[in-house]
Each structure stands twice: as C-alpha cells, then as structure tokens.
Amino acid sequence: MAEVVLGVEAPGVPPASDLRRELTRRLADLGPDRLDVLHLVCGEFLANAREHGGGVRGVRVGRTAQPDVLRVEVDDHSPVLPVVMPKDIEAVTGRGMFLVESLSLAWGATPAHEGKTVWAAVPCDPIPPRPVPTDAQSGAQSAG
C-alpha cells in the first residue's frame, strides 16, 4: 500500500458500523457509490473473520500506487482460506465472497504466521457528481 488510510490492530478493531463511519469520513471524496462497495467488502471480510476465522487480528485500508484503487486487508486467526460458494438461489447465507469477487478488481488470501490476511483491490475512482436536471431537461412545464 502506498498510503494507509485506516489501520487498526486487535483488540481495537471497531464494529463494522463504526468502521463504515470512519471510512466515510476519511474517504468522503469517493462518493456514495464507491463507498458502498468499500463498505460491503470490509463488512464481508470482518464478518467472515469473526464467524469463520477465530476473530479479527487487524484491519487495513489504504491507497495503492494506482490512484483509483484501494486495498482492503483483514487479518484473522484461521489458516483456512475463504472460498466463493457456488451460486445457490435457495441459500440463506454464503453469498458474501461472491459479492466481493463481483465488486472488486481482484481478491485473495495470504497465509500468515497466526492465520491469514484476506485482501481485495477495490475501485475507488471518484465518480463525478450527477448533473442536476433543469426544468427544460426534466420535461417540467413552467407555469406562466
């Protein structure tokens, strides 16, 4: 990572909602669409670390050498690597890594001394604001 935007180690890893608020504050220039993708990826990694990885050891979000890519990293205690489950429309759970794979540019997991680090490269190019339509553009009739 070229620049760590947010880095937290256990036991100071906040709940997902606090992490979303902090990322929104620090990366407000991304716009809501890109922040939604970032929040989803972070939330999925945190949930998996807590549910399947024996707990979260650390979280890092940073800018990469590519100005339009953020890297998300979550460390946990389990050496078991995440998998993308086969698509099953009847399943109640198991879609998280499918979403991560669909929304990120790349993702993977790296074994570590005490578990693993799951990472994703998330697009973060700022989305230009949508133009506000004028009355003429929106088809509204002016009174008069």
Side-chain angles (χ1 to χ4, degrees):
M1 275 187 261
E3 170 198 354
V4 174
V5 174
L6 177 69
V8 217
E9 301 300 320
V13 176
S17 58
D18 291 346
L19 183 64
R20 283 192 302 270
R21 274 192 290 281
E22 189 61 21
L23 288 171
T24 298
R25 186 181 72 75
R26 292 184 187 208
L27 297 167
D29 62 310
L30 298 186
D33 293 339
R34 293 296 190 217
L35 282 169
D36 284 346
V37 170
L38 180 63
H39 293 163
L40 188 145
V41 170
C42 288
E44 181 58 29
F45 283 177
L46 287 173
N48 282 351
R50 289 180 173 129
E51 186 169 331
H52 307 291
V56 181
R57 290 186 307 119
V59 176
R60 287 168 304 286
V61 176
R63 296 191 186 274
T64 67
Q66 295 175 274
D68 58 347
V69 177
L70 287 173
R71 184 173 170 105
V72 175
E73 298 178 346
V74 174
D75 308 319
D76 68 29
H77 296 279
S78 173
V80 179
L81 301 179
V83 295
V84 177
M85 300 298 290
K87 196 172 183 180
D88 180 358
I89 61 170
E90 301 296 324
V92 176
T93 63
R95 290 188 182 88
M97 290 307 296
F98 172 79
L99 290 171
V100 168
E101 183 174 71
S102 299
L103 295 170
S104 60
L105 301 170
W107 75 273
T110 306
H113 174 65
E114 293 183 22
K116 67 180 168 297
T117 299
V118 182
W119 60 268
V122 179
C124 69
D125 51 322
I127 297 172
R130 296 180 188 155
V132 177
T134 63
D135 286 346
Q137 291 173 324
S138 66
Q141 300 292 321
S142 60

